[in-house]
Amino acid sequence: MPVQIESFFDAATHTISHIVYDRPGGHAAVIDPVLDFDPSSGRSARHGADRLLAFLMERRLTLQWILETHAHADHLSAAGYLKDKAGGQIGIGRRIDEVQSTFSRVFNLEPAFHCDGSQFDHLFEDGETFRIGELGARVLALPGHTPADVGYQVEDAVFVGDTLFMPDVGTARCDFPGGDAATLYRSIRKLLALPDETRLLLCHDYPPPGREPAWRVTVAEQRRANLHARDGVDEAAFVKMRQARDATLDMPRLLLPSIQVNIRAGRLPPAEDNGVRYLKLPLDAF
């Protein structure tokens, strides 16, 4: 059965969320949903997530999975909100516990926060298979950007998270805790070893002037033209380039609020004794 895909671009964070489904009236997965957040006011909203819910309702889809490719540093996840509204299981890669352990120390999280991935409904192993209704799906471990990055292959389409961008943008950064450029290179080559016609669905696009946002590309196009990782770029050259480039990059604008929510499976921190929820801002920690 051919996979059905509907994609939604969030201009504020340059994030693409995808809905994957087998047929109208069937079953669906939402991949990398976005929670709206204004850092200047500290206010959250759910406009983007409500667009996803509206599409699910329009196509009469049962939400079976809410899939995270990793704990994002550039947007807050709406996974918890979607689960509350439409059901489904929240899944992420098994190594999320490593990311939780790192950032639990950074933010000095409450003792009740457990660094074992238990905030998620399912922790995926590399190579694990599962189903979205009548569609077969497989998990690909893609560490390098973070230790816990995974991709989801559904039929002939792979949802690659932040591992690769459009060919004229290149590849993900590797300077977050647990990131590693050599590991990312090997994950990229794992993707580029798939058949040339395999479709790669991206999580972000930062288009250069004159190009509209895009998020679909084939393995063949990436092998031929990716700015950082096309065929002919070896591991040593990639690592040298990636480390030099990462040293010039600013921290993502939403890293500090995003991580605190995303390692909780898209849930906001618990309210304190005054009934207010707080996101922490660690001073001089980065």
Side-chain angles (χ1 to χ4, degrees), residues 10-88:
D10 180 69
T13 63
H14 296 268
T15 303
I16 302 98
S17 303
H18 305 281
I19 296 180
V20 186
Y21 63 103
D22 52 5
R23 56 182 173 81
H27 292 79
V30 171
I31 301 174
D32 293 331
V34 177
L35 183 73
D36 305 291
F37 181 71
D38 176 14
S40 60
S41 66
R43 295 198 65 85
S44 62
R46 293 147 185 86
H47 306 302
D50 285 340
R51 289 173 61 205
L52 305 178
L53 290 170
F55 183 86
L56 293 171
M57 182 175 295
E58 174 192 324
R59 297 298 169 95
R60 299 174 288 107
L61 296 169
T62 298
L63 183 57
Q64 187 173 2
W65 290 100
I66 305 159
L67 303 174
E68 300 282 9
T69 54
H70 63 296
H72 303 270
D74 38 32
H75 69 268
L76 281 66
S77 170
Y81 175 72
L82 290 180
K83 180 176 179 178
D84 290 345
K85 291 292 185 179

Side-chain angles (χ1 to χ4, degrees), residues 70-127:
H70 63 296
H72 303 270
D74 38 32
H75 69 268
L76 281 66
S77 170
Y81 175 72
L82 290 180
K83 180 176 179 178
D84 290 345
K85 291 292 185 179
Q89 295 189 77
I90 303 174
I92 200 167
R94 166 68 64 184
R95 295 179 66 187
I96 187 61
D97 59 346
E98 298 176 36
V99 180
Q100 291 176 322
S101 294
T102 295
F103 286 101
S104 176
R105 294 189 296 270
V106 169
F107 293 110
N108 194 29
L109 296 183
E110 68 277 4
F113 182 85
H114 299 295
C115 299
D116 58 3
S118 58
Q119 299 80 4
F120 298 83
D121 298 307
H122 191 84
L123 303 181
F124 286 107
E125 302 283 358
D126 184 28

